[in-house]
Amino acid sequence: MPSASTGAPTRVVAPSAAATPSQAAVPTDVVPVDTRLTPGGPGYRRMSFALFLAGVATFALLYSTQALLPLISHDFGVTASSASWTVSAATGALALFVLPLSALSERFGRRTLMTASLSVAVTVGLLVPFAPSVGWLVALRAVQGAALAGLPASATAYLAEEVRPKALITAIGLFVAGNSVGGMSGRIITGWVAQEWGWRVAVGTIGVIAVSCAVAFRLLLPAPKHFKAGSLRPAALVRTVRDHLANPLLRRLYAIGALFMTVFGAVYTVIGYRLTDAPFSLPQGLIGSIFLVYLVGTVSASTAGKLVGRLGRRGALYLAGATTAAGLLVSLADSLPFVLLGLVLITAGFFAGHAVASSSVSHTAKEGRAQASALYQSAYYLGSSAGGTLGAVAYHSGGWAGTVALGLLAVVGVVGITVLGSHAARTQRRLVAVQH
């Protein structure tokens, strides 16, 4: 079979001059060459930057209304829980559509589907500012979230196929770092723009920025060399999903991703309301600037590979959970410096935990990686949707302390699931030792 058909070309060492014609016809030294991307190698920087921009566009669009919820509440005359649906509808739709769209990526290719997803999402993003009512706004945001569903799982599957295994956690960490930059810049930009010209101009500005990111992404991302088209047969998809859900490790990772995102979604959905109210009473521009703490998430996500190397996967998850819990407790103080410190710790813990869990899914799944990643993304964004809605309800009922209580409950879930994983690993090691 030609090397182009497998994506793994070979290097053939020529026979010596003394070889006979029959010997020369049969190479005796055929060494496979791994053509997957690696740090420092050709194409790796282009790939990393392209997916970084895709991550920026995804999170900037997905959470474009989150920092503006107090303004949206005022403009449409709705409560915090009603306004929070402009975020929850987008993340919920993404969670519902990520699995079927990942199946399309198995057939038509990762880069093709990511390009189509971004194209639709940025187009809708240019329509969002013209929503005449909160109902229309929620509907447009749901369509936008559904469109973006084609990107996260396809991106991680692309990386798993095109990047060497040793560099996979770092590569996925850079993609997650792009998410953090998108979430941060989107909120900061919308905060300051909205303070001067209103929330509609603010979300329109994010739409224009996302268009630029989408164009650059398509121009920079290298063509896949190791993709093999799969089947679109529903039976095959159901079988693959069933196999992934039957894997105890994958189930634990899915639950961990959902719980981490529940904390993050709850905190960042209602933080604007807390900082708008007494004793802080901050203007919209300064509230948007609070999201500079996302830079901490950029660092923690991009260094997740080193963290796993030192502590192991479960050790890294324990540290991420402890950091998140500490941030929640610190944020209870009615002091702006302590609130900021709490957000820093929450953000660092969340992005580290997310990077470790998502990369572990790609490493664990040997087949149907797009579906494995899609199930993780589905759980992750369902956690975001639940966190946003429940966080707003908790804030309405019990203030910031109610939101913190919800977050701590989710962190306890993360730690408990990780403990179960540690116990399962020890049991497996004892069984292997007995068998040998």
Side-chain angles (χ1 to χ4, degrees):
M1 180 183 293
S3 60
S5 64
T6 63
T10 57
R11 180 173 68 251
V12 180
V13 179
S16 64
T20 65
S22 60
Q23 290 173 324
V26 181
T28 58
D29 185 11
V30 179
V31 182
V33 177
D34 192 343
T35 59
R36 289 176 292 182
L37 300 173
T38 188
Y44 185 86
R45 288 185 179 179
R46 284 182 57 203
M47 178 274 299
S48 297
F49 188 51
L51 289 176
F52 178 85
L53 291 176
V56 169
T58 298
F59 257 47
L61 288 171
L62 195 61
Y63 295 100
S64 59
T65 63
Q66 194 171 57
L68 306 173
L69 293 180
L71 295 179
I72 293 172
S73 290
H74 181 268
D75 189 20
F76 290 120
V78 296
T79 63
S81 57
S82 296
S84 71
W85 278 104
T86 65
V87 179
S88 297
T91 55
L94 191 154
L96 292 175
F97 280 86
V98 66
L99 185 58
L101 290 186
S102 73
L104 292 180
S105 81
E106 294 281 6
R107 178 65 182 85
F108 299 106
R110 321 299 186 196
R111 190 172 69 160
T112 299
L113 191 67
M114 286 189 285
T115 301
S117 292
L118 277 178
S119 299
V120 175
V122 298
T123 301
V124 175
L126 298 177
L127 298 176
V128 166
F130 303 100
S133 66
V134 71
W136 273 102
L137 180 58
V138 169
L140 286 171
R141 296 281 292 142
V143 173
Q144 195 171 47
L148 288 170
L151 199 131
S154 297
T156 52
Y158 175 94
L159 289 170
E161 292 164 352
E162 304 299 327
V163 176
R164 294 186 186 181
K166 289 184 178 180
L168 181 59
I169 292 181
T170 299
I172 291 180
L174 289 172
F175 174 64
V176 174
N179 292 345
S180 70
V181 170
M184 175 196 69
S185 59
R187 291 167 171 92
I188 293 174
I189 291 170
T190 55
W192 285 105
V193 173
Q195 182 171 302
E196 297 296 326
W197 296 288
W199 70 267
R200 295 180 185 274
V201 175
V203 293
T205 302
I206 293 301
V208 172
I209 293 173
V211 169
S212 301
C213 289
V215 171
F217 159 81
R218 186 61 180 83
L219 293 175
L220 290 172
L221 189 68
K225 296 181 180 179
H226 301 274
F227 169 74
K228 295 180 180 178
S231 172
L232 279 178
R233 292 178 300 172
L237 175 61
V238 170
R239 182 169 58 252
T240 301
V241 170
R242 184 183 60 219
D243 290 344
H244 289 327
L245 292 178
N247 186 319
L249 175 55
L250 287 178
R251 288 202 305 268
R252 289 194 294 269
L253 292 171
Y254 297 154
I256 286 170
L259 290 169
F260 264 125
M261 196 53 169
T262 297
V263 181
F264 199 68
V267 166
Y268 278 100
T269 294
V270 302
I271 189 63
Y273 290 99
R274 187 188 186 201
L275 296 178
T276 299
D277 295 338
F280 306 108
S281 303
L282 298 182
Q284 188 65 45
L286 285 178
I287 290 174
S289 297
I290 294 296
F291 293 94
L292 276 169
V293 297
Y294 262 56
L295 287 173
V296 177
T298 304
V299 175
S300 66
S302 59
T303 58
K306 294 180 180 179
L307 189 63
V308 171
R310 293 181 180 179
L311 303 177
R313 184 182 64 247
R314 286 183 291 275
L317 289 173
Y318 284 131
L319 180 59
T323 303
T324 304
L328 288 166
L329 293 172
V330 169
S331 72
L332 284 168
D334 286 333
S335 167
L336 188 58
F338 278 96
V339 172
L340 293 178
L341 176 59
L343 290 177
V344 166
L345 293 173
I346 293 167
T347 304
F350 161 73
F351 275 105
H354 170 42
V356 171
S358 61
S359 59
S360 296
V361 169
S362 296
H363 177 74
T364 302
K366 303 305 179 184
E367 296 181 356
R369 283 194 174 104
Q371 281 73 45
S373 296
L375 287 169
Y376 176 84
Q377 296 292 337
S378 182
Y380 174 81
Y381 285 108
L382 281 175
S384 176
S385 184
T389 301
L390 295 177
V393 171
Y395 183 76
H396 181 74
S397 301
W400 183 251
T403 303
V404 168
L406 174 67
L408 289 174
L409 184 62
V411 171
V412 168
V414 169
V415 174
I417 291 169
T418 308
V419 169
L420 287 176
S422 298
H423 176 71
R426 288 194 299 269
T427 302
Q428 182 65 29
R429 286 195 297 268
R430 285 197 296 267
L431 289 175
V432 171
V434 169
Q435 292 173 355
H436 288 78

